[in-house]
Amino acid sequence: MIFSPSPIDALFRAPRLIKRVISVFADLCFVGIAFWAAIMVRVDSFSIFSNSQFWLLLFSLMPITVLINIKLGLYRAVIRFIGTKAATSIGIAVVFSTVILILLSYYLHVPLPRTVPIVFAAFLMILIGGSRFVFRALLSNKSKTKERVIIYGAGSSGRQLARSLIQGNEYLPVAFIDDDVRIQKSVVYGITVFNRSDIDALIIKYSVNRILLAMPRESKKRIARVLDKLENLSVEILSIPGSADLVSGSAKIDELHEVSIDDLLGRDPVQPNQDLLQADIRNKVIMITGAGGSIGSELCRQILQQHPKKIVLLELSEFALYKINGELQIMAKKLDYDLIIVPLLGSVQQKNRLLTVMRTFAVQTIYHAAAYKHVPVVEHNVIEGVRNNIFGTLFVAEAAIEAQVETFVLISTDKAVRPTNVMGTTKRMAELVLQALADQIAKTKGKTRFCMVRFGNVLGSSGSVVPLFREQIKSGGPITVTHPEIIRYFMTIPEASQLVIQAGSMGKGGDVFVLDMGDPVNISDLATKMIHLSGLTVLDKLNPEGEIAIEYTGLRQGEKLFEELLIGDDITQTDHRRIMSAHESWLPWPELQQILVKLDEACHQFDHEEIRRLLLQAPTGFVPKDGICDLVWNAKDTEKDNYKVV
């Protein structure tokens, strides 16, 4: 059943112009009522209504009073914000109107009792002023149904947010919190600015369940410090969009969202070097393998902004390719950029396809992001992990050499350092492939320049713990963590992509670049912070009344407690403060090639024991924590050693 809004609600929702017209009409009526009431009080006879001189006096007074009100800004004032300043303006308007009444009665020769102007002023003040404060009270009562919130940050963004929320129907700001002592105890839109130490009392006083963070221009470190102070409060913390989104118009001030984890980490991205960003991209043909993945798609977005001549997208997933192609087309249109985007389905395991594509489109720079990266999945699908991560990289690299591609950048991982799982080992093998090929190219004076960039976890990628934790919190828990002491490095996808591009521009051939990931993060602590910032508490032995439990499921197959970024200690700092160059051992191509030939044969024969032996033989530092975990291998009968794939 559809209910029509009440007249009061309809009036509140009416356009500003309609409200002003209604205010003018009401004030005209108030002038008339005050005029006749003042005379009636003095004369006490209905005969006054037949006096044409009184009507002339009234009709002369009404438009002048409205003009006075307009001049004093009474129709510009928003009733819900009306205060002492507006009351003063109303008083001045009434005084002027009364003086005009006296002057008109004198010049129009209308006999008016002396007490009438005084009574008229009293009635007019009550009617014009009283009506406005009555409506403000109605609005105030209406606001009582809105959820009360505290705004942290009384700067320009906080004030804009307060104004927007007051006019909305969902939240009612009851207090500002700001660390700037200069503005504490001041009043903004009728809302007092308090010190941070007052938060606990304010939450109890106003029954607040949410604090809105209005600090879009503050540094990540500053925001992280604030969140540390707010974490233990039993309220949910929401944030407004970042300053870049607000300035660009892609987000509104009142579009509140959960606090981003990069705010929690307190890591401020370094301003990218524009020369490094453009060196291998501007006016060049760029190819991205795995273009629809988490890192691949962000690389596409960053690359597009550096004005390449053409972008070739290679992706195995049809849906992922469709999605990133559509997004890039829209981005190019918004930037008014006539960019050629070539969306291609294909696998990095098809060398002929790769070589044909590179030659056809004259590819100059390749960012190789295609890989199977989830540790348990690769543990259960060993041969596909080896084929895709090792031989896929080999085929793309060999095709790049034959097509005379200028630059080849491999996206590697911290799991390639002293790996305990097949995924990390295959990525280290991929690094060895490029190091060996780079040495061969140096000897033959080839054209292609190889480098690889190694970094840890990125926030928001597929399989990342952050979106998983959010979903688990929304569903009421529990949050699942593998081990209470597990630690990981984190970086945002945009920052990682920008650093990959910049590192690739610095490579001379065979370089292994390592990104500065900042301080490692305890995953259990991260889960606790996310629970607290959602306004909930952890359910454990110390707090049996908590809402969300954290369950420890045990390390997964091949998973490590601590990830590392360096194999040895031989490392040098580059010109970029977040990019380091590692100098690590490798195999010459003839020796590595022998291992690859045997590995290919073992994959073809489905010989997992030989695959394991070869991966251990290679200089990868592979120290497996578990036996062979491949699901198909373990499902075979006890005579699987004699089984051969035809």
Side-chain angles (χ1 to χ4, degrees), residues 39 254 380:
I39 298 175
D254 58 352
H380 294 154

Side-chain angles (χ1 to χ4, degrees), residues 487-501:
I487 287 175
R488 290 292 181 266
Y489 291 96
F490 285 100
M491 179 183 286
T492 64
I493 295 179
E495 183 184 11
S497 300
Q498 287 182 357
L499 290 174
V500 164
I501 294 171

Side-chain angles (χ1 to χ4, degrees), residues 537-540 542-548:
T537 55
V538 177
L539 171 62
D540 55 21
L542 297 177
N543 183 24
E545 302 299 321
E547 292 98 343
I548 305 291

Side-chain angles (χ1 to χ4, degrees), residues 297-352:
S297 59
E298 184 60 31
L299 279 170
C300 291
R301 298 181 193 103
Q302 299 288 344
I303 288 167
L304 184 145
Q305 297 177 51
Q306 305 308 319
H307 292 272
K309 183 192 299 181
K310 187 181 299 181
I311 296 181
V312 179
L313 312 174
L314 186 74
E315 175 57 56
L316 184 62
S317 165
E318 179 190 24
F319 175 72
L321 180 65
Y322 167 80
K323 188 176 179 182
I324 187 60
N325 178 54
E327 182 180 343
L328 294 182
Q329 296 287 0
I330 293 171
M331 280 184 65
K333 188 174 181 181
K334 284 183 178 179
L335 294 172
D336 195 22
Y337 178 25
D338 188 17
L339 172 67
I340 299 172
I341 301 174
V342 184
L344 298 176
L345 283 170
S347 168
V348 293
Q349 299 181 47
Q350 300 170 327
K351 183 178 175 180
N352 289 341

Side-chain angles (χ1 to χ4, degrees), residues 586-627:
W586 52 279
L587 276 183
W589 175 248
E591 296 179 38
L592 182 63
Q593 190 177 32
Q594 292 179 19
I595 296 176
L596 293 175
V597 169
K598 293 177 182 178
L599 192 58
D600 179 51
E601 179 64 21
C603 288
H604 183 69
Q605 296 298 328
F606 200 74
D607 190 346
H608 278 269
E609 290 180 344
E610 177 65 7
I611 293 171
R612 173 63 63 95
R613 188 188 69 79
L614 290 168
L615 293 179
L616 287 168
Q617 176 188 333
T620 59
F622 181 32
V623 183
K625 293 183 59 179
D626 305 287

Side-chain angles (χ1 to χ4, degrees), residues 523-591:
I523 303 301
S524 183
D525 290 345
L526 178 62
T528 302
K529 282 181 179 290
M530 292 182 66
I531 292 171
H532 288 164
L533 293 174
S534 298
L536 305 171
T537 55
V538 177
L539 171 62
D540 55 21
K541 291 180 180 178
L542 297 177
N543 183 24
E545 302 299 321
E547 292 98 343
I548 305 291
I550 298 177
E551 289 186 0
Y552 298 103
T553 58
L555 292 175
R556 298 172 296 180
Q557 291 168 331
E559 190 173 36
K560 292 197 295 185
L561 274 179
F562 312 100
E563 296 292 0
E564 304 167 274
L565 289 166
L566 296 171
I567 294 174
D569 298 325
D570 191 2
I571 185 170
T572 57
Q573 182 67 50
T574 68
D575 292 336
H576 195 293
R577 56 181 280 200
R578 289 276 170 87
I579 302 173
M580 298 167 288
S581 179
H583 306 280
E584 298 174 347
S585 61
W586 52 279
L587 276 183
W589 175 248
E591 296 179 38

